[in-house]
Amino acid sequence: MSSGETIGPAVYDVPLPKEERIIPRAPQDGRYAPLPNVLLAQNALWVCRLRWIAVGLLFGFGLFTFLDGLPDFLGVKSRAMWPFVTAAALVFGNILFLFYIRGLEALPARFDIYTNLWSQIIMDLVVLTVVVHFVGSMETHIAFVYLLHVVLACIFFIPRQSLIVVATSCLLFLGCILVEGLGFMGRGGIFVTTIRTGPSAPGQIMLNLFSLWAILLAVWYLTSHLSIMVRRRDMQLMETNIRLIEAQKERTRHMLHTTHELKSPFSAIHTNVQLLLKGYCGTLPKEALEVLTRISERCRSLTAQIQDMLQLANLRSEAQQMPQSARLDVAALLRDCLGQVEPAALQRGIVLESDLQPVETFFVEDHFKMVFLNLLSNAVNYSNEGGRVRIECRLATDGRPRVSVADEGIGIPPEKLPNIFNDYYRTEEAVRHNRSSTGLGLAIVKQVVQTHRLHMVVESTQGKGTRFTVELPPVNNGESLRLETTHG
Amino acid sequence: MAKIMLVDDDLDLAEAVAKVLGVDGHKVVAEESPGKALDAMRKDPPDLAILDVMFPENSSEGFTLAQTMHGDSALRGVPILMLTAINVKFPLGFSSSDIDDVWMPVTAFLEKPVDLDVLREKVSAILKKSAGQG
């Protein structure tokens, strides 16, 4: 058979893996993606808010010129009306723009936002030119206020668009100077001493004009360049974030399959061993039953170990993506946990005591159960037969729910206490007492406690027992609420 | 005595479960393919379906089968017990609180490995409740 022949009716051409790289939305040639519509709409609203400052300044200056004495002392022309007129124009425009923005839908069309933003900028530039005329186009540095609009335009728009704002500012300033210079309007100026009747020298006009243009262009170039860099970095961060989220999802999917694939065979072994142990397949010799019991125990222990390993790995990856917290009934959840460890306690004649006051916490339910199931299991596992395990929950004086789990078991030597939260660490005494522990229970507890920045204390006396105390987060900013209903 | 359809691709486990439930007098039919199981249930609706979730060709085929049964007038009343190795503590895992009529129309969950006595008790409870409703 030649290599070119197919050998069956079904042919599947294995596809190449998909290109995983996310194509950046920011082109590399210096131009870059415009801001999203929602952000532009927020910016339009922000500019409206900023404009109230300009209105306040103009109105305040207008009032100032009506004061007795002080304007004369400072050489400022008194009783100016133009600040009120320009402030009124800004107020009128601002109300219209705000009304327009509020009327936009949650996902506004690009055209609507651009119309709004450009209308705002044109209005500002025209009003500013009027202010420049009245304050003094040649005698003061008021024309540099155009810079504010250039910077804002660089933030909102791509460089080509912000350059239009620069050009408009330059042209309006030129128009102002020409109108004044050609005598169509009298010379403005707020200072009595700078009021001149004749035109300024052409050299001064050109110097002022070109220096303003040059500064506007320089600021435009620097700000738009900076804006490009900031936006590129934003895009890179966004891409990295998307990749991390995807990687996390893939990892979670992988872990789900791993859990299933590892647990399934153990489950089948466990079930079949139980068939033999419980006599479903007839009576077995005592020695065979003992061997089967050992197999069953190791099987159960391996399953628990797989679960703990996956749980710990998952907790460590969750540290970046915290699950949602909710108001939790501490006592009710602790009763659930007690119910889960009760069979093991009964088997060894261990008495479970509880004093659970009705308090709430704001926490992740799964994490809560991980902590207290592990602490309770530990207390039961390391208690002596016929011993006592006590769990208490109450509201501390600082308003935080405090839960303690205490046993009268083997205890932990003081020098080994700092190590008990390490992965797979087990003291010699613990191994002698209970061989089947996974060595990961307290590592899981520590991971949850550290992730939520909880305060946990361990007290232990070798041969007498151990107590773990955990302070939980309060509900509603530090005030844990007592439940109105009491639980029995 | 009840007719129970057991759908699980792990035949070692399926046979063991069938043997245990057979002791209580139930007639257990084990199928490793959800498609074949659905055909068989449509011909002869069981009193209870025990479903695995993850199958080799589809990792959520057990849910799909449960949803199909829920949408089938002949099988809608059949109680479903999910018996799965997916860890209920896992973020993508699930528990009784996730049961709903649309996404997860099942009666109860048990996580593998399951204690055989617990399984027998659960099956009896579901069948008793189902008979009471019927």
Side-chain angles (χ1 to χ4, degrees):
Chain A
M1 187 171 63
S2 72
S3 60
E5 263 180 75
T6 55
I7 57 168
V11 178
Y12 176 66
D13 191 1
V14 180
L16 290 171
K18 281 183 188 168
E19 177 65 60
E20 283 187 4
R21 188 173 170 274
I22 296 163
I23 298 163
R25 278 187 279 172
Q28 303 299 312
D29 63 356
R31 291 175 300 161
Y32 57 97
L35 290 179
N37 291 7
V38 175
L39 203 56
L40 274 175
Q42 284 173 3
N43 284 337
L45 202 60
W46 178 55
V47 174
C48 285
R49 288 184 188 132
L50 280 181
R51 195 171 290 110
W52 293 124
I53 297 173
V55 169
L57 288 172
L58 285 167
F59 194 74
F61 180 73
L63 288 178
F64 166 78
T65 63
F66 277 83
L67 293 176
D68 284 335
L70 195 57
D72 293 338
F73 174 73
L74 294 172
V76 175
K77 282 199 293 184
S78 59
R79 297 181 181 278
M81 287 306 292
W82 63 265
F84 298 110
V85 176
T86 47
L90 286 181
V91 168
F92 179 71
N94 221 24
I95 289 170
L96 280 182
F97 291 129
L98 279 170
F99 185 72
Y100 185 77
I101 296 168
R102 298 256 158 85
L104 292 177
E105 292 174 6
L107 286 173
R110 197 156 197 86
F111 176 77
D112 291 339
I113 309 165
Y114 266 93
T115 309
N116 185 291
L117 267 173
W118 277 108
S119 306
Q120 289 197 48
I121 285 171
I122 298 296
M123 180 191 80
D124 280 348
L125 292 178
V126 170
V127 171
L128 177 59
T129 307
V130 173
V131 172
V132 165
H133 164 72
F134 281 107
V135 172
S137 57
M138 287 292 116
E139 295 80 6
T140 66
H141 299 297
I142 184 70
F144 285 97
V145 178
Y146 285 115
L147 282 174
L148 291 177
H149 293 86
V150 170
V151 171
L152 286 176
C154 289
I155 295 171
F156 300 154
F157 303 129
I158 59 172
R160 208 173 44 227
Q161 291 167 332
S162 52
L163 188 58
I164 295 174
V165 175
V166 175
T168 311
S169 305
C170 291
L171 287 173
L172 283 169
F173 185 59
L174 176 66
C176 175
I177 288 172
L178 284 176
V179 165
E180 288 174 0
L182 295 172
F184 292 114
M185 281 179 79
R187 296 291 302 278
I190 54 167
F191 297 110
V192 178
T193 50
T194 56
I195 299 170
R196 292 180 190 171
T197 47
S200 301
Q204 187 195 356
I205 292 174
M206 286 172 74
L207 179 68
N208 279 7
L209 193 62
F210 289 131
S211 60
L212 180 77
W213 285 5
I215 288 172
L216 287 184
L217 277 169
V219 169
W220 165 79
Y221 177 76
L222 293 173
T223 314
S224 56
H225 186 69
L226 195 67
S227 185
I228 287 171
M229 288 198 297
V230 169
R231 252 182 256 191
R232 276 216 182 119
R233 180 52 62 93
D234 279 354
M235 297 298 286
Q236 283 167 354
L237 283 174
M238 199 165 72
E239 284 163 26
T240 310
N241 204 25
I242 290 169
R243 271 179 222 188
L244 281 173
I245 291 168
E246 283 304 313
Q248 177 65 25
K249 280 183 189 167
E250 184 51 44
R251 191 165 180 271
T252 309
R253 274 193 291 271
H254 179 73
M255 282 170 68
L256 176 71
H257 279 269
T258 309
T259 319
H260 185 263
E261 295 311 311
L262 288 173
K263 277 177 71 189
S264 288
F266 286 118
S267 170
I269 297 168
H270 181 256
T271 309
N272 280 287
V273 168
Q274 277 191 85
L275 276 186
L276 296 170
L277 278 173
K278 295 186 185 237
Y280 288 101
C281 303
T283 311
L284 295 177
K286 193 183 166 199
E287 209 171 327
L289 283 174
E290 282 172 6
V291 172
L292 282 170
T293 305
R294 284 202 292 273
I295 293 172
S296 176
E297 281 309 310
R298 292 309 289 264
C299 209
R300 199 189 293 272
S301 153
L302 266 171
T303 307
Q305 187 133 11
I306 292 164
Q307 276 179 224
D308 280 359
M309 282 164 64
L310 287 165
Q311 205 168 62
L312 190 58
N314 187 51
L315 275 173
R316 284 176 179 159
S317 64
E318 262 180 21
Q320 294 176 345
Q321 208 181 2
M322 181 79 80
Q324 285 284 310
S325 290
R327 286 172 78 126
L328 302 177
D329 180 345
V330 176
L333 285 172
L334 290 176
R335 269 189 286 274
D336 279 354
C337 296
L338 276 169
Q340 292 192 47
V341 297
E342 200 172 12
L346 279 175
Q347 212 171 12
R348 299 184 50 227
I350 293 163
V351 180
L352 295 177
E353 292 180 355
S354 62
D355 177 9
L356 307 177
Q357 291 186 6
V359 290
E360 284 189 319
T361 184
F362 191 71
F363 204 58
V364 179
E365 185 173 336
D366 280 351
H367 291 183
F368 182 99
K369 286 181 178 169
M370 280 176 206
V371 170
F372 294 106
L373 263 178
N374 275 305
L375 290 181
L376 280 167
S377 299
N378 249 34
V380 169
N381 285 338
Y382 297 109
S383 283
N384 298 310
E385 286 197 11
R388 200 165 57 108
V389 169
R390 182 172 175 80
I391 184 162
E392 290 180 6
C393 93
R394 61 185 72 250
L395 206 58
T397 47
D398 59 1
R400 289 177 173 271
R402 192 167 293 166
V403 181
S404 66
V405 179
D407 64 62
E408 298 171 341
I410 60 171
I412 305 156
E415 71 279 8
K416 295 181 183 175
L417 260 183
N419 301 324
I420 59 169
F421 294 101
N422 296 347
D423 294 8
Y424 301 107
Y425 179 85
R426 300 181 67 208
T427 63
E428 285 173 10
E429 298 81 6
V431 174
R432 275 201 299 274
H433 190 83
N434 176 7
R435 303 194 76 82
S436 65
S437 165
T438 65
L440 289 173
L442 288 180
I444 290 172
V445 171
K446 181 189 171 191
Q447 186 63 42
V448 174
V449 164
Q450 287 190 335
T451 303
H452 292 272
R453 305 186 71 78
L454 302 182
H455 183 223
M456 179 168 73
V457 179
V458 194
E459 304 152 81
S460 189
T461 307
Q462 195 172 5
K464 286 196 170 176
T466 307
R467 177 166 59 207
F468 290 82
T469 306
V470 184
E471 274 181 13
L472 292 163
V475 182
N476 292 347
N477 299 327
E479 272 192 273
S480 191
L481 301 178
R482 282 183 178 275
L483 290 181
E484 286 177 3
T485 53
T486 50
H487 302 267
Chain B
M1 188 184 99
K3 281 183 292 181
I4 297 173
M5 170 60 78
L6 174 61
V7 192
D8 200 313
D9 59 314
D10 188 336
L11 286 179
D12 289 339
L13 181 101
E15 279 176 25
V17 170
K19 191 172 184 74
V20 172
L21 296 180
V23 170
D24 289 336
H26 303 309
K27 184 187 167 198
V28 182
V29 178
E31 271 292 354
E32 57 181 324
S33 151
K36 284 182 185 170
L38 186 62
D39 291 341
M41 284 193 283
R42 278 179 172 148
K43 282 179 195 155
D44 183 15
D47 299 305
L48 168 68
I50 301 177
L51 311 182
D52 189 9
V53 173
M54 292 176 79
F55 286 84
E57 289 187 2
N58 182 340
S59 55
S60 60
E61 205 165 352
F63 289 141
T64 311
L65 178 56
Q67 286 159 6
T68 309
M69 287 172 68
H70 189 67
D72 187 312
S73 55
L75 299 174
R76 182 170 294 168
V78 176
I80 296 171
L81 170 63
M82 281 286 182
L83 183 61
T84 173
I86 296 176
N87 189 347
V88 293
K89 294 174 191 168
F90 197 72
L92 288 185
F94 38 79
S95 62
S96 309
S97 59
D98 298 314
I99 293 175
D100 74 53
D101 267 2
V102 180
W103 191 69
M104 214 183 281
V106 305
T107 314
F109 282 104
L110 279 178
E111 187 178 344
K112 294 178 187 172
V114 62
D115 186 283
L116 293 179
D117 295 334
V118 172
L119 176 68
R120 284 171 68 181
E121 277 170 28
K122 194 79 174 177
V123 167
S124 297
I126 294 172
L127 287 171
K128 197 173 169 185
K129 192 177 172 192
S130 173
Q133 284 172 353

